[in-house]
Short mmCIF file of all heavy atoms in Angstrom, two decimals:
data_model
loop_
_atom_site.label_atom_id
_atom_site.label_comp_id
_atom_site.label_asym_id
_atom_site.label_seq_id
_atom_site.Cartn_x
_atom_site.Cartn_y
_atom_site.Cartn_z
N LEU A 110 10.42 96.85 -165.32
CA LEU A 110 11.25 97.98 -165.24
C LEU A 110 12.46 97.71 -164.03
O LEU A 110 13.48 98.22 -164.22
CB LEU A 110 10.43 99.20 -164.86
CG LEU A 110 9.42 99.81 -165.85
CD1 LEU A 110 8.43 100.74 -165.35
CD2 LEU A 110 10.30 100.31 -167.01
N GLY A 113 15.33 95.93 -165.37
CA GLY A 113 16.30 96.83 -166.15
C GLY A 113 16.98 97.63 -165.19
O GLY A 113 18.20 97.91 -165.45
N ALA A 114 16.35 98.21 -164.23
CA ALA A 114 16.86 99.19 -163.33
C ALA A 114 18.12 98.52 -162.50
O ALA A 114 19.12 99.01 -162.26
CB ALA A 114 15.84 99.67 -162.39
N ARG A 115 17.77 97.26 -162.11
CA ARG A 115 18.86 96.51 -161.31
C ARG A 115 20.09 96.36 -162.13
O ARG A 115 21.29 96.36 -161.81
CB ARG A 115 18.25 95.16 -160.85
CG ARG A 115 17.36 95.13 -159.68
CD ARG A 115 16.98 93.76 -159.24
NE ARG A 115 18.16 93.06 -158.72
CZ ARG A 115 18.15 91.76 -158.54
NH1 ARG A 115 17.04 91.15 -158.86
NH2 ARG A 115 19.11 91.09 -158.12
N PHE A 117 21.05 98.14 -164.92
CA PHE A 117 21.65 99.26 -165.38
C PHE A 117 21.67 100.33 -164.47
O PHE A 117 21.83 101.61 -164.89
CB PHE A 117 20.98 99.75 -166.81
CG PHE A 117 20.93 98.78 -167.83
CD1 PHE A 117 19.90 97.94 -168.06
CD2 PHE A 117 22.29 98.58 -168.53
CE1 PHE A 117 19.93 97.06 -169.25
CE2 PHE A 117 22.28 97.55 -169.49
CZ PHE A 117 21.09 96.83 -169.90
N SER A 118 21.45 100.18 -163.18
CA SER A 118 21.31 101.26 -162.21
C SER A 118 22.75 102.13 -162.14
O SER A 118 22.72 103.30 -161.93
CB SER A 118 21.03 100.76 -160.74
OG SER A 118 21.95 99.79 -160.45
N ASN A 119 23.71 101.55 -162.47
CA ASN A 119 25.01 102.16 -162.51
C ASN A 119 25.54 102.53 -164.04
O ASN A 119 26.62 102.90 -164.25
CB ASN A 119 26.13 101.36 -161.85
CG ASN A 119 25.93 101.09 -160.30
OD1 ASN A 119 25.39 102.20 -159.75
ND2 ASN A 119 26.11 99.98 -159.82
N LEU A 121 23.65 104.62 -166.25
CA LEU A 121 22.54 105.47 -166.66
C LEU A 121 22.66 105.96 -168.13
O LEU A 121 21.71 106.23 -168.81
CB LEU A 121 22.57 106.71 -165.76
CG LEU A 121 22.26 106.59 -164.28
CD1 LEU A 121 22.29 107.76 -163.53
CD2 LEU A 121 20.94 105.90 -164.13
N PHE A 124 20.82 103.08 -169.69
CA PHE A 124 19.34 103.03 -169.34
C PHE A 124 18.45 104.15 -169.68
O PHE A 124 17.43 103.93 -170.28
CB PHE A 124 19.26 102.86 -167.61
CG PHE A 124 17.99 102.55 -167.10
CD1 PHE A 124 17.34 101.42 -167.23
CD2 PHE A 124 17.27 103.65 -166.48
CE1 PHE A 124 16.11 101.14 -166.73
CE2 PHE A 124 16.00 103.43 -166.03
CZ PHE A 124 15.46 102.16 -166.12
N ILE A 125 18.97 105.41 -169.54
CA ILE A 125 18.10 106.56 -169.86
C ILE A 125 17.85 106.58 -171.43
O ILE A 125 16.68 106.90 -171.75
CB ILE A 125 18.69 107.82 -169.21
CG1 ILE A 125 18.57 107.78 -167.78
CG2 ILE A 125 17.96 109.04 -169.81
CD1 ILE A 125 19.30 108.94 -167.07
N MET A 153 8.29 106.28 -159.72
CA MET A 153 8.65 105.19 -158.73
C MET A 153 9.94 104.54 -159.06
O MET A 153 10.79 104.21 -158.24
CB MET A 153 7.51 104.33 -158.71
CG MET A 153 7.47 103.25 -157.47
SD MET A 153 6.19 102.00 -157.79
CE MET A 153 4.75 102.95 -158.26
N LEU A 154 10.16 104.22 -160.27
CA LEU A 154 11.29 103.54 -160.89
C LEU A 154 12.54 104.34 -160.65
O LEU A 154 13.57 103.93 -160.12
CB LEU A 154 11.19 103.14 -162.21
CG LEU A 154 12.40 102.61 -162.99
CD1 LEU A 154 12.76 101.32 -162.37
CD2 LEU A 154 12.25 102.50 -164.45
N ALA A 155 12.56 105.57 -160.89
CA ALA A 155 13.69 106.50 -160.86
C ALA A 155 14.04 106.73 -159.36
O ALA A 155 15.29 106.56 -159.07
CB ALA A 155 13.36 107.78 -161.43
N MET A 156 13.13 106.78 -158.48
CA MET A 156 13.49 106.98 -157.01
C MET A 156 14.06 105.67 -156.53
O MET A 156 14.91 105.72 -155.50
CB MET A 156 12.23 107.40 -156.26
CG MET A 156 11.76 108.78 -156.70
SD MET A 156 10.31 109.44 -155.78
CE MET A 156 10.94 109.66 -154.16
N ALA A 157 13.67 104.56 -156.94
CA ALA A 157 14.12 103.36 -156.52
C ALA A 157 15.62 103.12 -156.97
O ALA A 157 16.47 102.35 -156.29
CB ALA A 157 13.36 102.12 -157.15
N MET A 158 16.05 103.80 -158.04
CA MET A 158 17.38 103.74 -158.43
C MET A 158 18.27 104.91 -157.84
O MET A 158 19.33 104.97 -158.24
CB MET A 158 17.42 103.98 -160.06
CG MET A 158 16.64 102.78 -160.91
SD MET A 158 16.74 103.22 -162.64
CE MET A 158 18.33 103.29 -163.06
N GLY A 159 17.73 105.49 -156.86
CA GLY A 159 18.57 106.65 -156.30
C GLY A 159 18.50 107.91 -156.84
O GLY A 159 19.26 108.88 -156.72
N LEU A 160 17.63 108.14 -157.89
CA LEU A 160 17.54 109.41 -158.60
C LEU A 160 16.28 110.14 -158.01
O LEU A 160 15.96 109.81 -156.95
CB LEU A 160 17.22 109.05 -160.05
CG LEU A 160 18.25 108.17 -160.75
CD1 LEU A 160 17.75 107.69 -162.20
CD2 LEU A 160 19.58 108.95 -160.90
N GLN A 228 22.31 111.47 -158.61
CA GLN A 228 22.60 110.25 -157.91
C GLN A 228 23.98 110.52 -156.91
O GLN A 228 23.91 109.86 -155.85
CB GLN A 228 23.06 109.23 -159.03
CG GLN A 228 22.96 107.91 -158.51
CD GLN A 228 23.16 106.94 -159.79
OE1 GLN A 228 24.15 107.10 -160.59
NE2 GLN A 228 22.35 105.90 -159.84
N MET A 250 9.62 101.55 -154.16
CA MET A 250 9.71 100.31 -154.88
C MET A 250 11.09 99.72 -154.57
O MET A 250 12.15 100.15 -154.60
CB MET A 250 9.89 100.62 -156.42
CG MET A 250 10.07 99.35 -157.33
SD MET A 250 10.33 99.79 -159.07
CE MET A 250 8.78 100.29 -159.66
N LEU A 252 13.65 97.31 -155.61
CA LEU A 252 14.12 96.59 -156.85
C LEU A 252 14.35 95.06 -156.78
O LEU A 252 13.99 94.31 -157.74
CB LEU A 252 15.32 97.34 -157.39
CG LEU A 252 15.35 98.72 -157.75
CD1 LEU A 252 16.65 99.28 -158.28
CD2 LEU A 252 14.24 98.99 -158.86
#
Side-chain angles (χ1 to χ4, degrees):
L110 291 172
R115 286 183 64 195
F117 297 107
S118 59
N119 294 319
L121 296 179
F124 183 73
I125 291 176
M153 194 188 313
L154 173 67
M156 293 180 69
M158 294 175 64
L160 304 172
Q228 199 173 49
M250 180 191 286
L252 293 182

